[in-house]
Amino acid sequence: MEKIVSLCKRRGYVFQSSEIYGGLNGCWDYGPLGVELLRNIKEQWWQSMTSREDVEGIDASILMHPRVWEASGHIENFTDPMVDCRECKARFRADQIGDAPCGSPAYKGRRASKCQAEGKFTEARRFNLMFKTFIGPLEDSSAAVYLRPETAQGIFVNFLNVLSSSRQRPPFGIAQIGKAFRNEINTKNFLFRTREFEQMEMQFFVPPGSDEKWFDYWKEERLRWFLSLGMTKEKLHFHRHDPLELAHYARDAYDIEYEFPFGWGEIEGIHNRSDFDLSRHEQYSGKSMKFFDEQTKERYTPFIIETSAGASRSFMAFLVDAYREEEAPTADGKTETRVVLGLHPRLAPVKAAVFPLVNRDGMPEIAREIARAIRPHFRVFYDDSGAVGRRYRRQDEAGTPFCITVDSQTLQDQTVTVRDRDSMRQERVGKDGLVPFLRAKTA
Ligand code: GAP
């Protein structure tokens, strides 16, 4: 993980939030390459959902009526057990003490589980994870609102609006991508558990009785999505929640877990939420959330199958999965270690880099002209500094799938070399054919 965190900073993927002020715990900023990778992940997800005729998209607001969170059960249930170490004053999630390091620098290296065993922890208290703020100038309880801890509720409360405006009928889904906020007691593992993150959620409304079939369907569909973007099959598995693990709304749940360097971790949850959400919103709002089926003349509360992926956690899983170090030949016949981010071309932030082999004989001018011609179609990077081998290595590490080099032959026949990041093989392509070439390779 240390190598990946350091690459993220070096190449402009992820920076610590407010770094010049010492950083803000649990918050991260995406740099020039990171923002492109994140957008590409979200775009792939959005396409996979909304290109279907049975899924509509929405973008709901982050602040919602406070009653939403009473109905959803978050006020009552969205809590973690919290304990304090009386000695070092550090705060822990009681169910995640494990061998977390306990405390202040004076206690560095001490394991929390040991402090617990020695009775240094306070009794566990319930801590609600929702961030509270206030609407308007008065900071009293009547003005309190919450930053949403999941995007799902924005979909549930819009169920009737989407139903009437889009002419969909169950089974159909509503997809949304957006920020969510959780005041996590302990943030950890880089982007894995943060206080501000993005979710990509789809809620699929189905007639009761067909929920198990759709649950199985979406479970497989979501695993397929990660595989289709090149994630290693052996590093993914399902974890089924046992009854004690199930969230308050879930009748059945599977996590898609990825094997990170620190162990298996959830990147997406697939939940059978039954009719819990619509029934609760019906109860709390007084509005009927039932669907009347004109064909069968039945009135029912749809069940919901939820697919809930973290965009930021998926980002980290794609990065970890893409990272590799391998031996590669150098120009003088030796070998060196090259670091490669083997991101799927659809996800890669920059699709091609363009180099002049040397900075003379008109090569930089031709290379710049090629970069200019490609730029309206793909993100492209121009680089003319240092030996060409070094330039290749920089792009390998940034995850750029293709490097285009203008050399002396270009001056003769208008072709350039295109080097493939993964195989390092080079082929000659006519410079006017580069856009269709890249389109075919990155589709
Ligand atoms: N609507 C259901 C829901 O929010 P969840 O399992 O709590 O379910 C879904 O969260 C996904 O959101 C997780 O699989 C994870 O990818 C992401 N996620 C949750 N908490 C997170 C956090 N603190 N930091 C980063 N991602 C988080």
Side-chain angles (χ1 to χ4, degrees):
M1 277 312 297
E2 271 164 32
K3 284 182 177 173
I4 288 166
V5 174
S6 135
L7 181 144
C8 280
K9 174 154 187 191
R10 193 167 64 245
R11 290 284 164 229
Y13 272 95
V14 181
F15 308 128
Q16 204 182 4
S17 162
S18 321
E19 191 180 348
I20 58 168
Y21 290 99
L24 182 66
N25 203 340
C27 301
W28 297 90
D29 297 341
Y30 293 85
L33 292 190
V35 71
E36 294 296 334
L37 173 59
L38 188 64
R39 283 171 62 103
N40 291 344
I41 292 169
K42 290 188 287 186
E43 183 55 27
Q44 289 299 319
W45 184 89
W46 189 253
Q47 276 300 324
S48 76
M49 289 295 177
T50 60
S51 61
R52 299 170 57 106
E53 62 178 352
D54 57 359
V55 175
E56 305 288 339
I58 65 162
D59 187 3
S61 71
I62 288 173
L63 299 177
M64 301 179 75
H65 195 288
R67 290 277 283 168
V68 167
W69 307 111
E70 288 174 39
S72 69
H74 280 80
I75 299 271
E76 196 184 337
N77 296 309
F78 199 55
T79 57
D80 277 340
M82 180 176 73
V83 291
D84 292 320
C85 175
R86 290 195 186 91
E87 210 162 276
C88 75
K89 310 293 179 216
R91 192 154 276 177
F92 297 93
R93 241 178 90 167
D95 57 339
Q96 283 184 357
I97 284 171
D99 60 354
C102 182
S104 63
Y107 293 88
K108 227 180 169 114
R110 183 132 201 184
R111 300 284 124 189
S113 47
K114 191 155 175 274
C115 291
Q116 185 187 36
E118 290 169 7
K120 291 183 179 142
F121 279 162
T122 57
E123 284 297 304
R125 286 165 291 147
R126 306 297 308 177
F127 171 74
N128 195 296
L129 299 184
M130 285 195 292
F131 278 101
K132 203 183 212 176
T133 185
F134 299 92
I135 290 261
L138 287 181
E139 294 198 3
D140 62 24
S141 58
S142 65
V145 288
Y146 300 91
L147 301 189
R148 65 182 177 198
E150 60 171 12
T151 57
Q153 299 300 326
I155 295 180
F156 304 144
V157 300
N158 276 300
F159 168 65
L160 297 175
N161 288 334
V162 176
L163 197 62
S164 62
S165 59
S166 67
R167 304 184 64 82
Q168 292 278 5
R169 53 198 295 277
F172 83 101
I174 305 177
Q176 175 171 219
I177 299 177
K179 291 254 182 178
F181 303 83
R182 296 184 189 178
N183 202 357
E184 300 282 359
I185 298 170
N186 293 133
T187 56
K188 63 174 182 183
N189 291 329
F190 195 31
L191 305 173
F192 188 80
R193 179 162 291 114
T194 55
R195 297 201 164 103
E196 175 178 340
F197 54 95
E198 270 186 291
Q199 290 186 316
M200 309 183 288
E201 295 199 304
M202 195 279 304
Q203 313 293 332
F204 205 70
F205 300 86
V206 304
S210 65
D211 50 310
E212 284 177 23
K213 180 188 86 183
W214 282 109
F215 182 63
D216 290 343
Y217 170 85
W218 278 109
K219 193 176 135 243
E220 296 308 323
E221 206 45 32
R222 292 305 305 141
L223 181 68
R224 221 189 329 271
W225 183 79
F226 285 104
L227 296 173
S228 74
L229 292 170
M231 213 174 258
T232 310
K233 194 164 185 236
E234 293 69 35
K235 297 230 165 214
L236 288 167
H237 74 195
F238 283 117
H239 161 74
R240 189 178 194 172
H241 286 211
D242 70 36
L244 289 176
E245 237 182 307
L246 284 176
H248 61 275
Y249 51 73
R251 167 180 283 214
D252 200 354
Y254 279 87
D255 292 339
I256 298 180
E257 292 190 331
Y258 180 80
E259 192 178 18
F260 290 100
F262 48 82
W264 291 94
E266 172 194 343
I267 51 176
E268 171 157 352
I270 295 104
H271 309 128
N272 182 343
R273 298 184 68 122
S274 72
D275 60 357
F276 176 87
D277 306 283
L278 292 183
S279 300
R280 291 276 290 200
H281 285 302
E282 178 169 303
Q283 187 190 336
Y284 279 72
S285 70
K287 295 259 181 321
S288 170
M289 291 291 201
K290 293 190 175 55
F291 171 71
F292 180 67
D293 189 327
E294 296 284 354
Q295 285 163 9
T296 62
K297 306 293 177 210
E298 276 176 307
R299 188 181 296 279
Y300 61 84
T301 306
F303 273 40
I304 294 173
I305 306 302
E306 167 180 71
T307 70
S308 175
S312 347
R313 267 196 208 170
S314 303
F315 175 102
M316 190 165 119
F318 279 117
L319 265 185
V320 167
D321 202 61
Y323 183 92
R324 61 177 195 268
E325 291 173 15
E326 61 188 28
E327 290 304 300
T330 58
D332 54 5
K334 299 191 183 128
T335 57
E336 66 176 4
T337 306
R338 72 166 188 147
V339 172
V340 189
L341 266 192
L343 290 165
H344 191 287
R346 285 206 294 270
L347 298 183
V350 174
K351 307 300 182 202
V354 185
F355 312 146
L357 183 64
V358 289
N359 284 318
R360 57 180 151 76
D361 302 335
M363 290 184 208
E365 289 73 14
I366 299 174
R368 279 195 186 280
E369 182 195 303
I370 290 174
R372 244 193 323 273
I374 298 175
R375 197 160 282 130
H377 308 277
F378 301 101
R379 279 201 64 86
V380 67
F381 182 80
Y382 174 84
D383 188 6
D384 60 12
S385 71
V388 74
R390 289 276 138 242
R391 285 181 257 165
Y392 285 149
R393 293 288 175 270
R394 283 203 288 269
Q395 295 306 318
D396 291 343
E397 205 183 65
T400 308
F402 300 101
C403 289
I404 298 164
T405 305
V406 172
D407 56 15
S408 51
Q409 195 176 325
T410 313
L411 311 177
Q412 318 291 322
D413 65 4
Q414 311 294 305
T415 65
V416 292
T417 65
V418 180
R419 172 190 178 269
D420 180 283
R421 173 197 64 203
D422 299 321
S423 66
M424 292 188 283
R425 271 199 294 274
Q426 303 193 6
E427 59 184 301
R428 291 208 78 87
V429 177
K431 75 180 172 63
D432 294 337
L434 284 168
V435 169
F437 174 91
L438 290 174
R439 188 159 287 135
K441 296 279 187 181
T442 58

